[in-house]
Amino acid sequence: MRYLPSLILVASLIIFFPSASESARPSITTTIDRFVSNLYPKGSHYFWVINNTTTESPEEMIIDINTSVRNLPEETTMESRFLLLVIEGELFAAQKIPLNANVDCGSDEEV
């Protein structure tokens, strides 16, 4: 019973102050979802799919994604495709590409 206050203190520190490494790097899915949600109007129904990824280094990743959005149920679905450059978990650059583009996300040295 005398350890209960210490246990509560430690638990609250873990809950309210996660480690800096966890909060400093958002997950890839969070980064992609943030990018896609900014593309489309609020209230749109969208989804995205990863086609391919390449990891240039532990900090750098190139992601090829398709997005689909439908603003109203009676509207047709709009599809788009993007290449995203993610560095240390943050979106650094994005480029819209044709849906049928032939993309090689491999490193330049592999060609």
Side-chain angles (χ1 to χ4, degrees):
M1 195 68 160
R2 67 179 193 202
Y3 298 109
L4 187 57
S6 297
L7 182 62
I8 292 171
L9 176 63
V10 170
S12 64
L13 287 174
I14 292 171
I15 291 170
F16 295 112
F17 300 103
S19 71
S21 64
E22 289 176 11
S23 61
R25 282 189 149 178
S27 72
I28 294 300
T29 56
T30 301
T31 300
I32 295 170
D33 197 59
R34 192 177 309 141
F35 168 75
V36 175
S37 69
N38 287 329
L39 286 176
Y40 302 118
K42 191 171 185 169
S44 298
H45 298 283
Y46 65 85
F47 68 93
W48 50 267
V49 178
I50 296 175
N51 298 323
N52 194 7
T53 62
T54 299
T55 305
E56 296 294 317
S57 70
E59 298 85 28
E60 184 177 325
M61 180 182 288
I62 299 170
I63 305 169
D64 176 0
I65 66 167
N66 276 17
T67 64
S68 294
V69 66
R70 179 177 286 175
N71 292 325
L72 299 171
E74 61 274 359
E75 288 186 5
T76 59
T77 302
M78 269 186 356
E79 293 185 16
S80 299
R81 189 170 171 196
F82 297 89
L83 289 178
L84 308 179
L85 174 59
V86 177
I87 299 176
E88 295 182 357
E90 294 289 334
L91 181 64
F92 185 76
Q95 180 178 358
K96 187 172 183 177
I97 60 173
L99 288 171
N100 60 352
N102 185 13
V103 176
D104 179 15
C105 288
S107 108
D108 292 337
E109 297 164 2
E110 294 175 2
V111 178

